[in-house]
Amino acid sequence: GFFQSYAVEVDVKDASNATCLYAKWMMKFLIKYETNSSDYKNTTLDLSSNVTHNGSICGSDTQAALLAVQFGEGHSWSVNFTKTNETYQGNFISFTYNTNDSAAFPDAKRKGPVTVVVKDTMHPVELNNVFVCHNTDFLEAENVTQIFWNVTVQAFVQNGTIGKKESRCSADTPTSAPTIAPTAANATTAPTTTLSPAPTTAPTPVETPQTGNYSLKSGNKTCFLATVGLQLNISQDKPVLININPKTTTADGTCGNTTATLRLNDGNSTMIDF
């Protein structure tokens, strides 16, 4: 259920009731916060079915467009877009979470709204093109991980009509398939007249993940130690196995009096928290 969330669809109209900014996407937030006992807890914020978009702005040649949504108990998210010559792009993303939401932030030490601003990673998109990115994107800053997927957005819509041409994110762009050496499973063999059974080739075993040594320090003392080999088995359209490579994986996190969190990041948008 990691990616279960409501889709958000926002259609901003101008003074003539024509669409000027359109977006449909899915997102969720992973937040680490401090409790009254000076420990740290992790919480997840999902979008509810009741989302408003007050404050959204169409934008113009001289004014940035703004896509803003509000949800839950005082939480909000926004991104602004600027237009330069024949392109537009997102500039900054602002996310505000409210720790007064006791259901999401039980026993939070800091009370009230907390705002995190990060630079948008969206590349310039030609005007009249729709930016589309089905793959998952992560933005990390100040103990908050923002997760986005199934994104469709067009700023500065002209004549109220959504563009038909798509500009895909690099993660959606297919790469050339790797060369696969012939095996008994995929080689094409010409038929022969022999009646002898073909020799049986054992299936190639799944590669065992390398064992990594990960640790956290609190001051000069090690407070978290893990020696582990990790393999992810992702079952969606088809099973995918991913081995976590300790040579390219970094570890960080926190140690508290009663809880500790170890986060592993392989640098390829795969993060695992213990």
Side-chain angles (χ1 to χ4, degrees):
F2 184 76
F3 289 110
Q4 296 302 315
S5 183
Y6 285 94
V8 187
E9 186 172 19
V10 176
D11 188 349
V12 182
K13 307 285 188 179
D14 61 16
S16 62
N17 201 35
T19 297
C20 61
L21 175 60
Y22 175 82
K24 185 176 182 180
W25 75 103
M26 301 186 77
M27 66 180 176
K28 71 185 305 173
F29 307 91
L30 308 180
I31 304 168
K32 181 169 62 179
Y33 68 96
E34 188 176 8
T35 67
N36 286 314
S37 56
S38 296
D39 293 328
Y40 284 85
K41 287 186 176 180
N42 293 309
T43 190
T44 302
L45 275 184
D46 296 287
L47 295 185
S48 65
S49 58
N50 185 18
V51 177
T52 59
H53 57 89
N54 299 324
S56 295
I57 301 172
C58 290
S60 64
D61 291 339
T62 58
Q63 182 184 25
L66 181 68
L67 177 64
V69 295
Q70 304 82 37
F71 61 97
E73 300 296 326
H75 314 300
S76 61
W77 180 92
S78 66
V79 56
N80 72 316
F81 301 91
T82 55
K83 182 167 60 170
T84 304
N85 296 326
E86 298 301 317
T87 65
Y88 67 90
Q89 69 180 113
N91 282 348
F92 294 97
I93 292 175
S94 178
F95 168 54
T96 298
Y97 59 94
N98 189 356
T99 56
N100 286 326
D101 182 354
S102 57
F105 301 94
D107 196 34
K109 183 175 183 178
R110 178 179 178 178
K111 296 294 184 181
V114 181
T115 299
V116 177
V117 178
V118 295
K119 184 172 178 57
D120 192 358
T121 57
M122 175 181 175
H123 293 293
V125 179
E126 290 185 22
L127 291 177
N128 293 323
N129 283 18
V130 181
F131 175 76
V132 177
C133 192
H134 295 304
N135 274 271
T136 307
D137 191 20
F138 298 82
L139 290 177
E140 289 186 88
E142 301 180 35
N143 293 330
V144 175
T145 301
Q146 303 182 46
I147 307 173
F148 310 91
W149 68 103
N150 289 349
V151 175
T152 300
V153 61
Q154 183 179 354
F156 304 101
V157 177
Q158 298 183 358
N159 301 320
T161 303
I162 303 299
K164 296 181 179 180
K165 186 177 180 181
E166 294 182 352
S167 292
R168 291 292 188 116
C169 62
S170 58
D172 280 4
T173 304
T175 57
S176 55
T179 302
I180 302 174
T183 66
N186 64 22
T188 301
T189 306
T192 63
T193 57
T194 178
L195 297 179
S196 301
T200 302
T201 303
T204 304
V206 176
E207 180 183 356
T208 302
Q210 298 182 40
T211 301
N213 295 304
Y214 310 102
S215 62
L216 296 179
K217 287 186 177 294
S218 179
N220 294 325
K221 295 183 178 180
T222 298
C223 61
F224 198 125
L225 178 65
T227 300
V228 60
L230 290 171
Q231 183 179 86
L232 307 182
N233 187 334
I234 304 171
S235 298
Q236 291 182 327
D237 295 336
K238 60 181 180 179
V240 177
L241 294 180
I242 299 175
N243 285 341
I244 302 301
N245 184 358
K247 295 180 180 179
T248 58
T249 298
T250 59
D252 60 15
T254 57
C255 293
N257 294 328
T258 59
T259 62
T261 299
L262 173 69
R263 163 167 290 183
L264 302 181
N265 186 338
D266 76 340
N268 293 310
S269 298
T270 301
M271 291 179 290
I272 307 172
D273 282 7
F274 294 94

